[in-house]
Amino acid sequence: MTTETPLEAELHRLAGSVPDPELPILTLDELGVLREVRVDGADKVTVRLTPTYTGCPAIEAMSADIERVLHDHGVPEVSVVTVLAPAWSTDDISDEGRRKLAEFGIAPPRPGSEPGGPVPLTLAVRCPNCGSTETELLSRFSSTACKALRRCVTCREPFDHFKEL
């Protein structure tokens, strides 16, 4: 584990504030895809980014938005590198990100297990509109590959569910 300098922490905060292009209610930091920001010299910064899955079409937009934000804050040379290991998982979504998903009407992914801990067994997906766990799967895919389309049996409202990875 490396320690960020104060400048790297500030640039990390700026890069992390970029909205996700597919879920603009979340920042890249809340989504957990921003891995590292490193200053490599007086004029160069390298940003390491992990997509939610290999081939994610949003990675190019994320990279361009990070470059724009850092250029706007005086960094002349920005390199955004895609790293695939360790792989991103829905456990990387922050608590604030999960709260925002639910507030926006998207059922957040169910929590994963702690390393070495028991595996939680939760089969129900809670409706973000009424809180009922009586929901049904309508489609394994929704507006993005990361989400499934579900419907609440109680309130009859359809909603997206951010699938666990």
PDB file of all heavy atoms in Angstrom, residues 7-38:
ATOM      1  N   LEU A   7      -0.549  16.543  -2.416  1.00  0.00           N
ATOM      2  CA  LEU A   7      -0.940  16.890  -3.790  1.00  0.00           C
ATOM      3  C   LEU A   7      -1.695  15.725  -4.442  1.00  0.00           C
ATOM      4  O   LEU A   7      -2.719  15.925  -5.102  1.00  0.00           O
ATOM      5  CB  LEU A   7       0.288  17.263  -4.618  1.00  0.00           C
ATOM      6  CG  LEU A   7       0.039  17.552  -6.099  1.00  0.00           C
ATOM      7  CD1 LEU A   7      -0.969  18.699  -6.265  1.00  0.00           C
ATOM      8  CD2 LEU A   7       1.345  17.860  -6.820  1.00  0.00           C
ATOM      9  N   GLU A   8      -1.199  14.508  -4.256  1.00  0.00           N
ATOM     10  CA  GLU A   8      -1.885  13.346  -4.832  1.00  0.00           C
ATOM     11  C   GLU A   8      -3.285  13.183  -4.220  1.00  0.00           C
ATOM     12  O   GLU A   8      -4.237  12.838  -4.926  1.00  0.00           O
ATOM     13  CB  GLU A   8      -1.052  12.076  -4.616  1.00  0.00           C
ATOM     14  CG  GLU A   8       0.198  12.047  -5.473  1.00  0.00           C
ATOM     15  CD  GLU A   8       1.171  10.943  -5.094  1.00  0.00           C
ATOM     16  OE1 GLU A   8       1.160  10.510  -3.921  1.00  0.00           O
ATOM     17  OE2 GLU A   8       1.960  10.530  -5.973  1.00  0.00           O
ATOM     18  N   ALA A   9      -3.406  13.433  -2.929  1.00  0.00           N
ATOM     19  CA  ALA A   9      -4.721  13.346  -2.285  1.00  0.00           C
ATOM     20  C   ALA A   9      -5.682  14.383  -2.876  1.00  0.00           C
ATOM     21  O   ALA A   9      -6.862  14.085  -3.108  1.00  0.00           O
ATOM     22  CB  ALA A   9      -4.576  13.530  -0.780  1.00  0.00           C
ATOM     23  N   GLU A  10      -5.184  15.598  -3.128  1.00  0.00           N
ATOM     24  CA  GLU A  10      -6.033  16.638  -3.722  1.00  0.00           C
ATOM     25  C   GLU A  10      -6.441  16.250  -5.155  1.00  0.00           C
ATOM     26  O   GLU A  10      -7.607  16.389  -5.540  1.00  0.00           O
ATOM     27  CB  GLU A  10      -5.296  17.987  -3.726  1.00  0.00           C
ATOM     28  CG  GLU A  10      -6.019  19.103  -4.454  1.00  0.00           C
ATOM     29  CD  GLU A  10      -7.357  19.486  -3.838  1.00  0.00           C
ATOM     30  OE1 GLU A  10      -7.647  19.073  -2.702  1.00  0.00           O
ATOM     31  OE2 GLU A  10      -8.135  20.193  -4.513  1.00  0.00           O
ATOM     32  N   LEU A  11      -5.489  15.737  -5.940  1.00  0.00           N
ATOM     33  CA  LEU A  11      -5.812  15.320  -7.316  1.00  0.00           C
ATOM     34  C   LEU A  11      -6.744  14.101  -7.307  1.00  0.00           C
ATOM     35  O   LEU A  11      -7.622  13.989  -8.168  1.00  0.00           O
ATOM     36  CB  LEU A  11      -4.522  15.026  -8.085  1.00  0.00           C
ATOM     37  CG  LEU A  11      -3.597  16.238  -8.284  1.00  0.00           C
ATOM     38  CD1 LEU A  11      -2.281  15.814  -8.916  1.00  0.00           C
ATOM     39  CD2 LEU A  11      -4.283  17.327  -9.115  1.00  0.00           C
ATOM     40  N   HIS A  12      -6.563  13.223  -6.329  1.00  0.00           N
ATOM     41  CA  HIS A  12      -7.462  12.061  -6.179  1.00  0.00           C
ATOM     42  C   HIS A  12      -8.887  12.550  -5.894  1.00  0.00           C
ATOM     43  O   HIS A  12      -9.859  12.051  -6.472  1.00  0.00           O
ATOM     44  CB  HIS A  12      -6.969  11.160  -5.051  1.00  0.00           C
ATOM     45  CG  HIS A  12      -7.638   9.820  -4.992  1.00  0.00           C
ATOM     46  ND1 HIS A  12      -6.952   8.647  -4.949  1.00  0.00           N
ATOM     47  CD2 HIS A  12      -8.947   9.465  -4.971  1.00  0.00           C
ATOM     48  CE1 HIS A  12      -7.793   7.629  -4.921  1.00  0.00           C
ATOM     49  NE2 HIS A  12      -9.023   8.113  -4.914  1.00  0.00           N
ATOM     50  N   ARG A  13      -9.006  13.550  -5.027  1.00  0.00           N
ATOM     51  CA  ARG A  13     -10.326  14.102  -4.706  1.00  0.00           C
ATOM     52  C   ARG A  13     -10.977  14.688  -5.968  1.00  0.00           C
ATOM     53  O   ARG A  13     -12.156  14.470  -6.232  1.00  0.00           O
ATOM     54  CB  ARG A  13     -10.211  15.184  -3.625  1.00  0.00           C
ATOM     55  CG  ARG A  13     -11.557  15.703  -3.122  1.00  0.00           C
ATOM     56  CD  ARG A  13     -11.412  16.930  -2.260  1.00  0.00           C
ATOM     57  NE  ARG A  13     -10.826  18.062  -2.961  1.00  0.00           N
ATOM     58  CZ  ARG A  13     -11.453  18.825  -3.857  1.00  0.00           C
ATOM     59  NH1 ARG A  13     -12.695  18.565  -4.176  1.00  0.00           N
ATOM     60  NH2 ARG A  13     -10.839  19.833  -4.442  1.00  0.00           N
ATOM     61  N   LEU A  14     -10.178  15.407  -6.775  1.00  0.00           N
ATOM     62  CA  LEU A  14     -10.710  15.993  -8.009  1.00  0.00           C
ATOM     63  C   LEU A  14     -11.130  14.909  -9.002  1.00  0.00           C
ATOM     64  O   LEU A  14     -12.236  14.951  -9.548  1.00  0.00           O
ATOM     65  CB  LEU A  14      -9.671  16.911  -8.651  1.00  0.00           C
ATOM     66  CG  LEU A  14      -9.389  18.213  -7.918  1.00  0.00           C
ATOM     67  CD1 LEU A  14      -8.148  18.876  -8.490  1.00  0.00           C
ATOM     68  CD2 LEU A  14     -10.594  19.132  -8.011  1.00  0.00           C
ATOM     69  N   ALA A  15     -10.256  13.934  -9.237  1.00  0.00           N
ATOM     70  CA  ALA A  15     -10.587  12.855 -10.176  1.00  0.00           C
ATOM     71  C   ALA A  15     -11.762  12.032  -9.655  1.00  0.00           C
ATOM     72  O   ALA A  15     -12.636  11.625 -10.421  1.00  0.00           O
ATOM     73  CB  ALA A  15      -9.363  11.960 -10.393  1.00  0.00           C
ATOM     74  N   GLY A  16     -11.804  11.822  -8.356  1.00  0.00           N
ATOM     75  CA  GLY A  16     -12.886  11.035  -7.765  1.00  0.00           C
ATOM     76  C   GLY A  16     -14.228  11.739  -7.791  1.00  0.00           C
ATOM     77  O   GLY A  16     -15.269  11.099  -7.654  1.00  0.00           O
ATOM     78  N   SER A  17     -14.227  13.054  -7.992  1.00  0.00           N
ATOM     79  CA  SER A  17     -15.488  13.807  -8.027  1.00  0.00           C
ATOM     80  C   SER A  17     -16.178  13.740  -9.386  1.00  0.00           C
ATOM     81  O   SER A  17     -17.313  14.209  -9.529  1.00  0.00           O
ATOM     82  CB  SER A  17     -15.244  15.268  -7.648  1.00  0.00           C
ATOM     83  OG  SER A  17     -14.504  15.925  -8.673  1.00  0.00           O
ATOM     84  N   VAL A  18     -15.521  13.142 -10.373  1.00  0.00           N
ATOM     85  CA  VAL A  18     -16.111  13.025 -11.716  1.00  0.00           C
ATOM     86  C   VAL A  18     -17.326  12.105 -11.644  1.00  0.00           C
ATOM     87  O   VAL A  18     -17.242  11.010 -11.082  1.00  0.00           O
ATOM     88  CB  VAL A  18     -15.063  12.465 -12.706  1.00  0.00           C
ATOM     89  CG1 VAL A  18     -15.697  12.069 -14.033  1.00  0.00           C
ATOM     90  CG2 VAL A  18     -13.933  13.460 -12.904  1.00  0.00           C
ATOM     91  N   PRO A  19     -18.467  12.528 -12.203  1.00  0.00           N
ATOM     92  CA  PRO A  19     -19.643  11.649 -12.204  1.00  0.00           C
ATOM     93  C   PRO A  19     -19.453  10.450 -13.125  1.00  0.00           C
ATOM     94  O   PRO A  19     -18.823  10.554 -14.172  1.00  0.00           O
ATOM     95  CB  PRO A  19     -20.776  12.540 -12.727  1.00  0.00           C
ATOM     96  CG  PRO A  19     -20.248  13.925 -12.745  1.00  0.00           C
ATOM     97  CD  PRO A  19     -18.756  13.847 -12.765  1.00  0.00           C
ATOM     98  N   ASP A  20     -20.008   9.310 -12.724  1.00  0.00           N
ATOM     99  CA  ASP A  20     -19.996   8.131 -13.576  1.00  0.00           C
ATOM    100  C   ASP A  20     -20.885   8.437 -14.791  1.00  0.00           C
ATOM    101  O   ASP A  20     -21.999   8.932 -14.616  1.00  0.00           O
ATOM    102  CB  ASP A  20     -20.545   6.916 -12.810  1.00  0.00           C
ATOM    103  CG  ASP A  20     -20.635   5.702 -13.695  1.00  0.00           C
ATOM    104  OD1 ASP A  20     -19.576   5.177 -14.063  1.00  0.00           O
ATOM    105  OD2 ASP A  20     -21.768   5.303 -14.038  1.00  0.00           O
ATOM    106  N   PRO A  21     -20.419   8.160 -16.016  1.00  0.00           N
ATOM    107  CA  PRO A  21     -21.233   8.498 -17.191  1.00  0.00           C
ATOM    108  C   PRO A  21     -22.543   7.702 -17.308  1.00  0.00           C
ATOM    109  O   PRO A  21     -23.506   8.190 -17.915  1.00  0.00           O
ATOM    110  CB  PRO A  21     -20.308   8.219 -18.376  1.00  0.00           C
ATOM    111  CG  PRO A  21     -19.208   7.377 -17.849  1.00  0.00           C
ATOM    112  CD  PRO A  21     -19.119   7.619 -16.380  1.00  0.00           C
ATOM    113  N   GLU A  22     -22.603   6.500 -16.735  1.00  0.00           N
ATOM    114  CA  GLU A  22     -23.830   5.707 -16.818  1.00  0.00           C
ATOM    115  C   GLU A  22     -24.750   5.923 -15.621  1.00  0.00           C
ATOM    116  O   GLU A  22     -25.952   5.749 -15.726  1.00  0.00           O
ATOM    117  CB  GLU A  22     -23.485   4.215 -16.938  1.00  0.00           C
ATOM    118  CG  GLU A  22     -22.833   3.870 -18.260  1.00  0.00           C
ATOM    119  CD  GLU A  22     -22.520   2.387 -18.387  1.00  0.00           C
ATOM    120  OE1 GLU A  22     -22.398   1.694 -17.363  1.00  0.00           O
ATOM    121  OE2 GLU A  22     -22.396   1.948 -19.534  1.00  0.00           O
ATOM    122  N   LEU A  23     -24.175   6.260 -14.480  1.00  0.00           N
ATOM    123  CA  LEU A  23     -24.944   6.524 -13.263  1.00  0.00           C
ATOM    124  C   LEU A  23     -24.478   7.859 -12.700  1.00  0.00           C
ATOM    125  O   LEU A  23     -23.728   7.902 -11.728  1.00  0.00           O
ATOM    126  CB  LEU A  23     -24.720   5.418 -12.223  1.00  0.00           C
ATOM    127  CG  LEU A  23     -25.268   4.056 -12.555  1.00  0.00           C
ATOM    128  CD1 LEU A  23     -24.664   3.000 -11.638  1.00  0.00           C
ATOM    129  CD2 LEU A  23     -26.777   4.074 -12.405  1.00  0.00           C
ATOM    130  N   PRO A  24     -24.877   8.976 -13.320  1.00  0.00           N
ATOM    131  CA  PRO A  24     -24.326  10.274 -12.919  1.00  0.00           C
ATOM    132  C   PRO A  24     -24.676  10.706 -11.497  1.00  0.00           C
ATOM    133  O   PRO A  24     -24.147  11.708 -11.027  1.00  0.00           O
ATOM    134  CB  PRO A  24     -24.893  11.248 -13.961  1.00  0.00           C
ATOM    135  CG  PRO A  24     -25.981  10.528 -14.649  1.00  0.00           C
ATOM    136  CD  PRO A  24     -25.773   9.062 -14.459  1.00  0.00           C
ATOM    137  N   ILE A  25     -25.517   9.944 -10.814  1.00  0.00           N
ATOM    138  CA  ILE A  25     -25.775  10.251  -9.404  1.00  0.00           C
ATOM    139  C   ILE A  25     -24.599   9.839  -8.530  1.00  0.00           C
ATOM    140  O   ILE A  25     -24.501  10.258  -7.381  1.00  0.00           O
ATOM    141  CB  ILE A  25     -27.055   9.548  -8.901  1.00  0.00           C
ATOM    142  CG1 ILE A  25     -26.923   8.039  -9.130  1.00  0.00           C
ATOM    143  CG2 ILE A  25     -28.282  10.147  -9.554  1.00  0.00           C
ATOM    144  CD1 ILE A  25     -27.928   7.210  -8.408  1.00  0.00           C
ATOM    145  N   LEU A  26     -23.706   8.998  -9.075  1.00  0.00           N
ATOM    146  CA  LEU A  26     -22.532   8.526  -8.338  1.00  0.00           C
ATOM    147  C   LEU A  26     -21.269   9.159  -8.902  1.00  0.00           C
ATOM    148  O   LEU A  26     -21.135   9.317 -10.113  1.00  0.00           O
ATOM    149  CB  LEU A  26     -22.374   7.002  -8.461  1.00  0.00           C
ATOM    150  CG  LEU A  26     -23.464   6.116  -7.914  1.00  0.00           C
ATOM    151  CD1 LEU A  26     -23.099   4.653  -8.140  1.00  0.00           C
ATOM    152  CD2 LEU A  26     -23.699   6.393  -6.459  1.00  0.00           C
ATOM    153  N   THR A  27     -20.327   9.472  -8.004  1.00  0.00           N
ATOM    154  CA  THR A  27     -19.002   9.874  -8.469  1.00  0.00           C
ATOM    155  C   THR A  27     -18.169   8.614  -8.670  1.00  0.00           C
ATOM    156  O   THR A  27     -18.522   7.529  -8.177  1.00  0.00           O
ATOM    157  CB  THR A  27     -18.304  10.779  -7.432  1.00  0.00           C
ATOM    158  OG1 THR A  27     -18.042  10.005  -6.254  1.00  0.00           O
ATOM    159  CG2 THR A  27     -19.153  12.003  -7.110  1.00  0.00           C
ATOM    160  N   LEU A  28     -17.052   8.770  -9.373  1.00  0.00           N
ATOM    161  CA  LEU A  28     -16.175   7.614  -9.587  1.00  0.00           C
ATOM    162  C   LEU A  28     -15.619   7.106  -8.262  1.00  0.00           C
ATOM    163  O   LEU A  28     -15.406   5.914  -8.087  1.00  0.00           O
ATOM    164  CB  LEU A  28     -15.035   7.980 -10.546  1.00  0.00           C
ATOM    165  CG  LEU A  28     -15.473   8.392 -11.956  1.00  0.00           C
ATOM    166  CD1 LEU A  28     -14.246   8.639 -12.826  1.00  0.00           C
ATOM    167  CD2 LEU A  28     -16.395   7.359 -12.589  1.00  0.00           C
ATOM    168  N   ASP A  29     -15.407   8.034  -7.308  1.00  0.00           N
ATOM    169  CA  ASP A  29     -14.934   7.606  -5.986  1.00  0.00           C
ATOM    170  C   ASP A  29     -16.009   6.791  -5.268  1.00  0.00           C
ATOM    171  O   ASP A  29     -15.702   5.770  -4.658  1.00  0.00           O
ATOM    172  CB  ASP A  29     -14.547   8.833  -5.165  1.00  0.00           C
ATOM    173  CG  ASP A  29     -13.480   8.523  -4.140  1.00  0.00           C
ATOM    174  OD1 ASP A  29     -12.616   7.685  -4.414  1.00  0.00           O
ATOM    175  OD2 ASP A  29     -13.541   9.122  -3.060  1.00  0.00           O
ATOM    176  N   GLU A  30     -17.255   7.205  -5.330  1.00  0.00           N
ATOM    177  CA  GLU A  30     -18.346   6.458  -4.684  1.00  0.00           C
ATOM    178  C   GLU A  30     -18.559   5.103  -5.350  1.00  0.00           C
ATOM    179  O   GLU A  30     -18.900   4.126  -4.682  1.00  0.00           O
ATOM    180  CB  GLU A  30     -19.641   7.268  -4.722  1.00  0.00           C
ATOM    181  CG  GLU A  30     -19.594   8.505  -3.848  1.00  0.00           C
ATOM    182  CD  GLU A  30     -20.691   9.491  -4.146  1.00  0.00           C
ATOM    183  OE1 GLU A  30     -21.294   9.458  -5.252  1.00  0.00           O
ATOM    184  OE2 GLU A  30     -20.934  10.341  -3.284  1.00  0.00           O
ATOM    185  N   LEU A  31     -18.356   5.048  -6.670  1.00  0.00           N
ATOM    186  CA  LEU A  31     -18.488   3.780  -7.391  1.00  0.00           C
ATOM    187  C   LEU A  31     -17.319   2.840  -7.088  1.00  0.00           C
ATOM    188  O   LEU A  31     -17.434   1.627  -7.231  1.00  0.00           O
ATOM    189  CB  LEU A  31     -18.583   4.050  -8.896  1.00  0.00           C
ATOM    190  CG  LEU A  31     -18.903   2.887  -9.808  1.00  0.00           C
ATOM    191  CD1 LEU A  31     -20.231   2.214  -9.431  1.00  0.00           C
ATOM    192  CD2 LEU A  31     -18.936   3.342 -11.264  1.00  0.00           C
ATOM    193  N   GLY A  32     -16.196   3.409  -6.638  1.00  0.00           N
ATOM    194  CA  GLY A  32     -15.045   2.600  -6.236  1.00  0.00           C
ATOM    195  C   GLY A  32     -14.161   2.155  -7.382  1.00  0.00           C
ATOM    196  O   GLY A  32     -13.406   1.191  -7.236  1.00  0.00           O
ATOM    197  N   VAL A  33     -14.194   2.857  -8.508  1.00  0.00           N
ATOM    198  CA  VAL A  33     -13.388   2.457  -9.657  1.00  0.00           C
ATOM    199  C   VAL A  33     -12.050   3.184  -9.722  1.00  0.00           C
ATOM    200  O   VAL A  33     -11.161   2.769 -10.460  1.00  0.00           O
ATOM    201  CB  VAL A  33     -14.152   2.653 -10.989  1.00  0.00           C
ATOM    202  CG1 VAL A  33     -15.377   1.757 -11.043  1.00  0.00           C
ATOM    203  CG2 VAL A  33     -14.534   4.107 -11.210  1.00  0.00           C
ATOM    204  N   LEU A  34     -11.892   4.266  -8.974  1.00  0.00           N
ATOM    205  CA  LEU A  34     -10.645   5.031  -8.974  1.00  0.00           C
ATOM    206  C   LEU A  34      -9.673   4.382  -7.991  1.00  0.00           C
ATOM    207  O   LEU A  34      -9.912   4.356  -6.792  1.00  0.00           O
ATOM    208  CB  LEU A  34     -10.926   6.478  -8.576  1.00  0.00           C
ATOM    209  CG  LEU A  34      -9.771   7.448  -8.684  1.00  0.00           C
ATOM    210  CD1 LEU A  34      -9.278   7.552 -10.114  1.00  0.00           C
ATOM    211  CD2 LEU A  34     -10.203   8.812  -8.166  1.00  0.00           C
ATOM    212  N   ARG A  35      -8.580   3.806  -8.500  1.00  0.00           N
ATOM    213  CA  ARG A  35      -7.655   3.047  -7.659  1.00  0.00           C
ATOM    214  C   ARG A  35      -6.500   3.879  -7.127  1.00  0.00           C
ATOM    215  O   ARG A  35      -6.082   3.714  -5.997  1.00  0.00           O
ATOM    216  CB  ARG A  35      -7.091   1.849  -8.435  1.00  0.00           C
ATOM    217  CG  ARG A  35      -8.126   0.870  -8.883  1.00  0.00           C
ATOM    218  CD  ARG A  35      -8.806   0.223  -7.695  1.00  0.00           C
ATOM    219  NE  ARG A  35      -9.625  -0.893  -8.174  1.00  0.00           N
ATOM    220  CZ  ARG A  35     -10.586  -1.418  -7.495  1.00  0.00           C
ATOM    221  NH1 ARG A  35     -10.877  -0.962  -6.300  1.00  0.00           N
ATOM    222  NH2 ARG A  35     -11.277  -2.406  -7.987  1.00  0.00           N
ATOM    223  N   GLU A  36      -5.917   4.748  -7.965  1.00  0.00           N
ATOM    224  CA  GLU A  36      -4.722   5.470  -7.529  1.00  0.00           C
ATOM    225  C   GLU A  36      -4.519   6.707  -8.389  1.00  0.00           C
ATOM    226  O   GLU A  36      -4.801   6.686  -9.580  1.00  0.00           O
ATOM    227  CB  GLU A  36      -3.496   4.561  -7.666  1.00  0.00           C
ATOM    228  CG  GLU A  36      -2.185   5.207  -7.280  1.00  0.00           C
ATOM    229  CD  GLU A  36      -0.999   4.285  -7.518  1.00  0.00           C
ATOM    230  OE1 GLU A  36      -0.968   3.569  -8.531  1.00  0.00           O
ATOM    231  OE2 GLU A  36      -0.103   4.296  -6.673  1.00  0.00           O
ATOM    232  N   VAL A  37      -4.004   7.755  -7.771  1.00  0.00           N
ATOM    233  CA  VAL A  37      -3.549   8.942  -8.489  1.00  0.00           C
ATOM    234  C   VAL A  37      -2.118   9.177  -8.016  1.00  0.00           C
ATOM    235  O   VAL A  37      -1.868   9.307  -6.819  1.00  0.00           O
ATOM    236  CB  VAL A  37      -4.433  10.171  -8.189  1.00  0.00           C
ATOM    237  CG1 VAL A  37      -3.858  11.408  -8.862  1.00  0.00           C
ATOM    238  CG2 VAL A  37      -5.868   9.917  -8.639  1.00  0.00           C
ATOM    239  N   ARG A  38      -1.186   9.192  -8.979  1.00  0.00           N
ATOM    240  CA  ARG A  38       0.232   9.325  -8.630  1.00  0.00           C
ATOM    241  C   ARG A  38       0.863  10.462  -9.436  1.00  0.00           C
ATOM    242  O   ARG A  38       0.682  10.541 -10.658  1.00  0.00           O
ATOM    243  CB  ARG A  38       0.954   8.016  -8.933  1.00  0.00           C
ATOM    244  CG  ARG A  38       2.388   7.976  -8.393  1.00  0.00           C
ATOM    245  CD  ARG A  38       3.111   6.678  -8.693  1.00  0.00           C
ATOM    246  NE  ARG A  38       3.358   6.588 -10.131  1.00  0.00           N
ATOM    247  CZ  ARG A  38       3.082   5.512 -10.872  1.00  0.00           C
ATOM    248  NH1 ARG A  38       2.568   4.435 -10.331  1.00  0.00           N
ATOM    249  NH2 ARG A  38       3.322   5.500 -12.162  1.00  0.00           N
TER     250      ARG A  38
END
